[in-house]
Amino acid sequence: MAQANGKGAASALVIGGGIAGMSAALSLTEAGVKVRLIDRDPQWRVYGAGITITGPTLRVMKRLGILEDALREGHAADGLLACDVEGNVVAEIGTNGVDGGEYPGAGGIMRPTLHGILAARVRAAGIDVLLGRRVTEIAPGRPKRVIFDDGTLGSYDLVVGADGIFSDTRRMLFPEVGAPQYVGQVCWRLMTKRDPRIERRTYFLGGPCKVGMNPVSSAEMYMFLLEPQAQFQRVADDKLHIRLNELMEPYGGVVGATREKLSPESNIVARPLETVFVPKPWHRDRVLLIGDAAHATTPQLASGAGMAMEDGVVLGECIAFSPDIDEALALFMQRRFDRCALVVDKSLTLGRLEKSGATPLEQVRVVEDALRQLNQAY
Ligand SMILES: Cc1cc2nc3c(=O)[nH]c(=O)nc-3n(C[C@H](O)[C@H](O)[C@H](O)COP(=O)(O)OP(=O)(O)OC[C@H]3O[C@@H](n4cnc5c(N)ncnc54)[C@H](O)[C@@H]3O)c2cc1C
């Protein structure tokens, strides 16, 4: 239990109710900290794309107590298939190395499903959630005094900025860190009925775009397609299916079959890939950045959400372990910096390889090496 009158954190404000913020709120509450969680969205919505969950992500879900729900409402399977543009298997990568195979190697889940599972936990833990609220000012000094956008005030031992890639907290506290950088790729995602041939994460490499498919439940799957594009050009919503159809044209097999079913009603999201990485430390005067606010990665290793959950869990563990907030934050940085840097760095390396037309084998080697390192304890 954190000490109310000592140097430990008795209260914390978590800004941002996404994957990182909810995980931190749960873990800090477990450490005995009184948490207020705010999100700017009055409806606490999340966009409806699928995400891939890796073995390490499943491991941290267990730590958060959401593994059973995620497995029931999502999908899990071992192994990762790398195929050519016609869908012929060129390599099979083992993914069942986490803690001696205690967890499935990989899986997928709809983002709103994961959000709903975490939000239910947050509510059940009795965490004070304020929606439709932002912070407009964080005063220097301790405790941290903040002004909310409705003019009310708050005072906390610790403030956690978990407000995503375009973090206002980062802009306020770390003005020297520039805006996220576009990396020259657009990520297309299609949520659709599951093709029975897609039983696990499957990549289609060696074509003009990198394409992947992954089940997100027993009935649904999502497809991603990474399009190289020097300057991002937004496609109107009613034209998304037309452009995606063109991009999928060179592919056969399951991708070709999925292409034939595209229609104006298809559930498609296209998003420019951007990245930002804050140099260490990610805290200043007892305000800490976590998740995408500190280390927004491109999705090649499918680990951004996993790292966001790990950040939250590790923060709670460090606060519980150390009676001093500054020591706890230093310990947090020791445990998180290199691991998150690895994800961002290797994901960007993979993006460069994809754009330069590197062979599937070269790309697979980078993925295998990174997965081996991420399987290690965090
Ligand atoms: C195209 C794409 C595909 C991806 N695929 C995968 C994948 O397959 N697997 C994977 O593990 N990861 C994936 N990721 C990464 C993953 O989505 C992110 O790493 C993860 O969502 C980060 O969580 P977060 O909580 O830090 O930020 P977010 O999920 O962005 O949450 C931030 C929250 O803060 C709130 N907020 C924002 N500003 C404020 C403010 N000023 N005040 C209050 N609240 C605020 C927002 O409303 C939101 O609820 C992908 C990312 C992209 C871009």
Side-chain angles (χ1 to χ4, degrees):
M1 183 77 166
Q3 296 304 302
N5 298 315
K7 294 195 289 178
S11 63
L13 173 69
V14 178
I15 304 171
I19 296 169
M22 287 194 276
S23 304
L26 287 167
S27 183
L28 286 167
T29 301
E30 189 185 311
V33 179
K34 187 167 170 1
V35 176
R36 166 169 276 186
L37 175 68
I38 64 164
D39 198 282
R40 67 176 172 191
D41 183 355
Q43 268 85 48
W44 211 4
R45 287 160 304 190
V46 64
Y47 65 100
I51 59 167
T52 297
I53 42 186
T54 63
T57 304
L58 290 160
R59 171 175 60 194
V60 71
M61 284 177 162
K62 170 127 192 233
R63 175 68 185 76
L64 282 165
I66 62 165
L67 181 63
E68 270 184 31
D69 290 347
L71 291 178
R72 190 179 54 250
E73 296 185 40
H75 177 88
D78 284 325
L80 188 164
L81 289 185
C83 301
D84 63 17
V85 284
E86 289 303 328
N88 304 306
V89 176
V90 294
E92 185 163 356
I93 304 172
T95 54
N96 53 355
V98 179
D99 297 351
E102 193 183 328
Y103 310 97
I109 194 164
M110 287 300 287
R111 198 180 277 270
T113 306
L114 175 58
H115 186 91
I117 291 170
L118 280 166
R121 283 270 152 180
V122 165
R123 297 286 194 198
I127 292 166
D128 171 22
V129 178
L130 259 183
L131 299 177
R133 196 61 53 87
R134 293 169 187 247
V135 164
T136 55
E137 202 177 319
I138 305 176
R142 301 167 181 183
K144 303 308 307 169
R145 295 188 198 284
V146 308
I147 304 178
F148 294 104
D149 56 357
D150 64 347
T152 56
L153 308 174
S155 173
Y156 308 90
D157 295 320
L158 176 67
V159 173
V160 181
D163 43 354
I165 182 167
F166 302 107
S167 167
D168 288 331
T169 314
R170 186 181 66 234
R171 236 188 338 260
M172 276 190 260
L173 263 291
F174 297 81
E176 73 282 7
V177 177
Q181 296 294 304
Y182 174 58
V183 301
Q185 286 178 302
V186 178
C187 183
W188 290 78
R189 279 172 293 173
L190 167 74
M191 278 53 68
T192 185
K193 198 164 160 273
R194 178 169 161 196
D195 185 300
R197 287 171 284 183
I198 299 299
E199 296 174 331
R200 67 187 78 176
R201 189 145 54 121
T202 306
Y203 287 166
F204 303 88
L205 306 172
C209 299
K210 179 178 176 181
V211 182
M213 288 182 168
N214 196 9
V216 287
S217 71
S218 52
E220 302 157 294
M221 65 177 194
Y222 86 100
M223 183 194 83
F224 72 82
L225 181 149
L226 295 182
E227 178 196 5
Q229 205 182 91
Q231 295 264 300
F232 175 60
Q233 282 161 353
R234 195 169 296 283
V235 177
D237 285 354
D238 62 345
K239 305 269 183 314
L240 288 171
H241 66 292
I242 299 170
R243 179 69 187 133
L244 184 57
N245 190 309
E246 289 165 7
L247 292 166
M248 291 165 75
E249 204 265 322
Y251 296 83
V254 191
V255 181
T258 305
R259 173 176 171 251
E260 283 167 17
K261 294 185 197 127
L262 286 177
S263 77
E265 281 71 49
S266 294
N267 182 357
I268 301 168
V269 180
R271 188 171 158 170
L273 291 188
E274 289 162 295
T275 182
V276 63
F277 191 77
V278 176
K280 66 180 160 188
W282 298 332
H283 55 90
R284 194 162 282 173
D285 196 20
R286 297 199 173 168
V287 181
L288 171 71
L289 300 178
I290 64 168
D292 276 12
H295 48 79
T297 181
T298 55
Q300 277 82 358
L301 288 172
S303 296
M307 291 304 110
M309 281 185 257
E310 285 185 10
D311 279 359
V313 163
V314 170
L315 177 60
E317 287 176 358
C318 293
I319 291 286
F321 178 79
S322 171
D324 180 285
I325 300 178
D326 298 312
E327 271 176 33
L329 294 180
L331 187 57
F332 174 86
M333 288 311 302
Q334 271 174 34
R335 289 182 60 186
R336 297 309 298 156
F337 187 81
D338 288 349
R339 190 167 168 85
C340 296
L342 172 87
V343 169
V344 175
D345 181 49
K346 296 292 179 192
S347 301
L348 291 174
T349 300
L350 281 162
R352 282 191 290 272
L353 289 174
E354 286 155 10
K355 284 189 289 180
S356 69
T359 64
L361 214 58
E362 272 178 273
Q363 300 182 42
V364 165
R365 277 203 203 103
V366 177
V367 174
E368 273 184 321
D369 179 49
L371 287 182
R372 209 175 10 256
Q373 295 188 58
L374 291 173
N375 284 349
Q376 308 296 317
Y378 57 88

